[in-house]
Amino acid sequence: MNNTQTETPETTSSPPSSEHSLPARNARHPGIALILQGGGARAAYQVGVLKALSEILGHPKENPFPIITGTSAGAINAALLATHADNFAEGVASLVDVWTKFLPHHVYRTDLPGVLRNSSKWLSAFLFGAFKKSDKKNNKISLFDNSPLARLISKHIPLKRIPEHIASGALRAVSVTASGYTSGQNAAFFQAHQDVQGWRRSQRVGIRVSQLRVEHLMASAAIPFAFPAIKINREYFGDGSIRQMAPVSPALHLGAERVFIIGTAKLTKTMDDRAEEGTYPSLAAIAGHAMASIFLDSLAVDVELLQRMNATLKYVDRDRMQASGGNLHHVDVCIACPNEPLEEIAHQHVSDLPATIRFLMRSIGAMRKGGATLASYMLFDYRYCNALIDMGYNDLMARREEMQIFFSADACPLPTLIPVSTFDPGRTVQFGVKA
């Protein structure tokens, strides 16, 4: 996707005053933010984009993103980068090293005893749950046991390094988002410089923590039904993509002035004529459709909202707005998303899954082409991940000149050229403002 300059009502504070400002390590500091979307194994695409960006910027040691936010698998990538804020190129290399060697058993149990144990609990709860008394101590029911992921995070992401990077000025803020199953709130847990305040909006909150923990990352990546919810303080939390209506919002609340978003699906899709479907959709096809609404659709909606706000605010008298207490400001946005659907690639690699997982996937129709959407989230296999990394790398390298302009401290904002899908499949609307 192309650059866009936009304005948004989500910003809750102006850039910090000089008495609280961080060391000026970056000409754009502290306003550049990286936003990493969720999507399970699809987040390998983000690694390819970051690999290309590191190369385009000359493998910099200095962190180009003082603000880093992430959701679901994107939260894990974000946390790893935050722990390497003192050496961006090294952080990207660590991401590449992990994702290019991924196997499903690094994320969830694939051994027969582990699969049978979890599957039997799932089936038992479905058939006999109405007759069982509630067991508050051990009532975790999910399709997969993702305890290996917790061990992987503990091994590769030294979260205790984040405070020192904030203190040095290499990092202004990092946040990971999870969704509360009781409150229904989409919560952004963040560590940040002392001048950053929490926020509260309709069904969205920003919660400062003294230290991000493995539990925050596990909660953010707890894919509904697939992985168990995680208890943080008094509430159980699940995947941060659930009810995340404004994925750009946390970065703006943390002080972003420029935003680089890496998605995990095409932002806009061509709408083909409806074809007659001969077979009833499989459980995997329905689950994949639900997953897409959870993980992917909100970004397109939020970007469209930003575009509309940008187009509207062209006509607002800025002096009058500021006099009335308004705090809206320009936010330059650059988006990197796959140019092709990832379901086709997932279908090519679904046979690479372990036999136990293939059996589970086959039972719900995920091995068929129509169920590949679901498989695309769970395919933590290095062959599939490498294919997405290559795609992300090639997509961004094709935009090398654009990236050099966007990340230049002296660059002028580029015009908005992001197409917005409408209900009319034959019509595409563009909202744009040239600098």
Side-chain angles (χ1 to χ4, degrees), residues 114-132:
V115 172
L116 288 178
R117 179 175 177 273
N118 244 51
S119 299
S120 61
K121 285 176 63 177
W122 178 283
L123 184 61
S124 175
F126 180 74
L127 295 176
F128 308 111
F131 304 101
K132 289 185 176 181

Side-chain angles (χ1 to χ4, degrees), residues 82-288:
T83 62
H84 287 81
D86 58 337
N87 194 324
F88 177 72
E90 184 180 279
V92 172
S94 296
L95 274 177
V96 173
D97 183 63
V98 171
W99 281 88
T100 53
K101 298 175 182 177
F102 247 141
L103 288 170
H105 71 261
H106 294 148
V107 180
Y108 48 83
R109 290 187 64 175
T110 62
D111 59 295
L112 185 59
V115 172
L116 288 178
R117 179 175 177 273
N118 244 51
S119 299
S120 61
K121 285 176 63 177
W122 178 283
L123 184 61
S124 175
F126 180 74
L127 295 176
F128 308 111
F131 304 101
K132 289 185 176 181
K133 293 182 178 180
S134 176
D135 182 1
K136 295 183 178 180
K137 294 184 179 180
N138 186 23
N139 202 29
K140 294 183 178 181
I141 299 172
S142 61
L143 190 58
F144 298 98
D145 176 357
N146 65 341
S147 56
L149 178 60
R151 294 192 291 271
L152 186 74
I153 292 172
S154 298
K155 178 180 179 182
H156 290 281
I157 307 180
L159 294 169
K160 291 185 177 180
R161 295 184 62 190
I162 292 177
E164 65 185 68
H165 297 324
I166 293 176
S168 72
L171 185 69
R172 172 172 169 77
V174 56
S175 79
V176 300
T177 303
S179 181
Y181 279 120
T182 301
S183 66
Q185 291 181 328
N186 197 256
F189 297 98
F190 69 89
Q191 277 184 261
H193 188 251
Q194 60 185 3
D195 70 313
V196 178
Q197 303 297 319
W199 61 89
R200 182 178 295 273
R201 295 291 184 269
S202 176
Q203 296 302 310
R204 289 179 285 123
V205 294
I207 303 173
R208 176 187 284 274
V209 296
S210 58
Q211 177 66 66
L212 286 174
R213 306 190 306 272
V214 173
E215 291 89 336
H216 293 108
L217 303 185
M218 292 293 291
S220 183
I223 298 174
F225 304 109
F227 297 149
I230 303 296
K231 191 173 185 180
I232 300 176
N233 298 329
R234 295 166 294 177
E235 186 175 5
Y236 281 97
F237 286 84
D239 199 291
S241 297
I242 304 172
R243 307 186 76 171
Q244 189 181 40
M245 297 295 100
V248 182
S249 173
L252 301 179
H253 283 294
L254 294 172
E257 295 171 0
R258 309 195 96 200
V259 173
F260 185 61
I261 305 171
I262 310 180
T264 55
K266 291 186 68 175
L267 194 60
T268 59
K269 297 181 180 180
T270 55
M271 301 176 65
D272 300 325
D273 293 336
R274 300 184 187 276
E276 182 177 353
E277 182 63 54
T279 58
Y280 190 82
S282 66
L283 181 59
I286 296 173

Side-chain angles (χ1 to χ4, degrees), residues 287-302:
H289 185 72
M291 289 280 197
S293 67
I294 292 173
F295 284 108
L296 310 178
D297 294 348
S298 60
L299 179 60
V301 172
D302 204 22

Side-chain angles (χ1 to χ4, degrees), residues 4 6 303-311 416 418-420 431:
T4 176
T6 187
V303 168
E304 182 176 353
L305 176 62
L306 293 176
Q307 290 178 288
R308 292 182 184 276
M309 185 63 68
N310 186 50
T416 298
I418 297 179
V420 179
F431 298 92

